[in-house]
Every structure is written in C-alpha cells, then in structure tokens.
Amino acid sequence: IMLHGMKILAVDDDVLSLEMLASILSDRGAECCLARDGREAMDIAEVTPDLDIMILDLQMPVMSGFDVLRQCKGNPYLSELPVVVVAADHAEKLASLKLGADDFLAKPYNHEELELRIIKLVDARRLAQAARKAKQEFLSIASHELRTPMHQIKGLAELLEDSLTPEEQQELIGQLKLS
C-alpha cells in the first residue's frame, strides 16, 4: 500500500468528491482528515502538526482554496506543508502555483497520478526535513568540538596575560601551538 502511514488533509465542498477521494486514499493506506471548506481546513491544519500533505479544491464557500493557500504559505508552521490543488478550471493552475501550490491536477483527475504526485511531494518533504535535522546535528557537534579547544586556548591566553616569567610564558606559548 503506497500511501501507508501518510496523513492527508482532503478539502472539497463537494461531499461526493470528498468522500470518493477519502475512500481512494484510505484504500491505499492513508489516514484522511476531511474538510468541506477553507476555514475548516485551516482549523484542522493548525491543530494537526503531523499532516503530510493537503489536497485542496479552490472554489469553496466560507474560505476559498486561494485563501487557504495564502494563509498556509504565510504561516511558518504550515508553509512547508505540500499542497496539491485539484480544480475543474484548468485556468486556475497558474494562479494557484503563484500562491505557493506545490502541484496542480485538473478535475477529473487520474487517481494513480494523484497517488504518485502525493508520494513524490511527501518523500521530498521528508528528505528535506531529514537533511535539515542532519545539518542541525552536525552544526551542534561541530560547535561543541570547536568550543572545547577554544576554551583551552582562552585559558592559556589569560595565563599569559598574568605576570609570568619569560620561561613560563614560552612554555604556555608552546602549549598553545600544540592546541
């Protein structure tokens, strides 16, 4: 099952389309959260930090998909959540991509194509998150590894400032060179 373990927020005001999409995604192993308008989608997204992706219709009551895109991409906690727009009007493709949509499918869409696009986007996001985590861990280790000898050098430099004999100063300089 290709979507196993993924948490997907599906947003569409057409209940039949939403239920069909949820059924397809669930059959492929995904956990689905469903919203029937943009406001409901934002409410779910804001309290569900482990969402993997959002499948978003554009033309909806209460809050449009365009407004959802604007709010998601403007929110630091949601800005990296991949969003696939599915809309009947292919002319909306450029507008949704300009607002930050990661992908676009015109309705009616091929379910297998949607699944492949979801996998591609979720995998890319997970890879980017893993790379960021590895970078942070590396920088933390590098910082620690640099700080330890720097403390030793600083301590030796402070000793040099004190009134020491020239022989003691030369001995400390030798230790600094070895650091």
Side-chain angles (χ1 to χ4, degrees):
I1 299 177
M2 305 263 312
L3 302 178
H4 180 73
M6 291 186 191
K7 188 177 266 191
I8 300 172
L9 173 55
V11 189
D12 198 326
D13 61 318
D14 180 336
V15 176
L16 186 60
S17 294
L18 188 61
E19 288 176 358
M20 183 183 73
L21 178 59
S23 174
I24 291 164
L25 296 173
S26 296
D27 288 349
R28 288 171 166 80
E31 178 185 340
C32 294
C33 301
L34 306 177
R36 285 184 265 161
D37 63 60
R39 181 70 261 151
E40 191 177 346
M42 289 305 301
D43 290 344
I44 292 169
E46 289 169 351
V47 298
T48 315
D50 58 341
L51 283 175
D52 289 301
I53 194 164
M54 181 187 303
I55 311 300
L56 179 66
D57 183 34
L58 292 176
Q59 301 301 324
M60 295 181 292
V62 183
M63 179 188 286
S64 75
F66 291 115
D67 290 332
V68 170
L69 273 172
R70 277 187 206 92
Q71 287 194 20
C72 279
K73 298 307 174 178
N75 180 328
Y77 298 104
L78 298 174
S79 63
E80 293 183 16
L81 179 67
V83 178
V84 176
V85 168
V86 289
D89 185 357
H90 200 297
E92 296 171 325
K93 178 178 184 175
L94 192 58
S96 62
L97 292 173
K98 282 182 179 179
L99 286 173
D102 297 280
D103 209 340
F104 181 94
L105 282 174
K107 289 181 181 179
Y109 51 85
N110 177 287
H111 301 145
E112 189 175 346
E113 181 181 3
L114 175 63
E115 181 179 6
L116 292 172
R117 289 175 186 235
I118 289 170
I119 291 167
K120 179 183 133 204
L121 289 169
V122 170
D123 284 350
R125 180 180 187 216
R126 288 178 177 170
L127 185 61
Q129 288 172 331
R132 253 191 318 282
K133 183 179 178 187
K135 177 183 173 184
Q136 288 172 341
E137 288 172 1
F138 170 78
L139 291 175
S140 176
I141 291 168
S143 173
H144 174 74
E145 293 299 318
L146 287 173
R147 258 186 273 130
T148 301
M150 290 304 292
H151 287 305
Q152 186 178 18
I153 292 168
K154 183 179 173 192
L156 290 171
E158 288 171 359
L159 283 174
L160 277 173
E161 285 181 336
D162 294 341
S163 55
L164 299 174
T165 65
E167 295 82 26
E168 292 171 323
Q169 287 180 346
Q170 287 303 315
E171 184 182 328
L172 290 175
I173 290 171
Q175 289 179 20
L176 276 172
K177 287 181 180 178
L178 292 175
S179 294

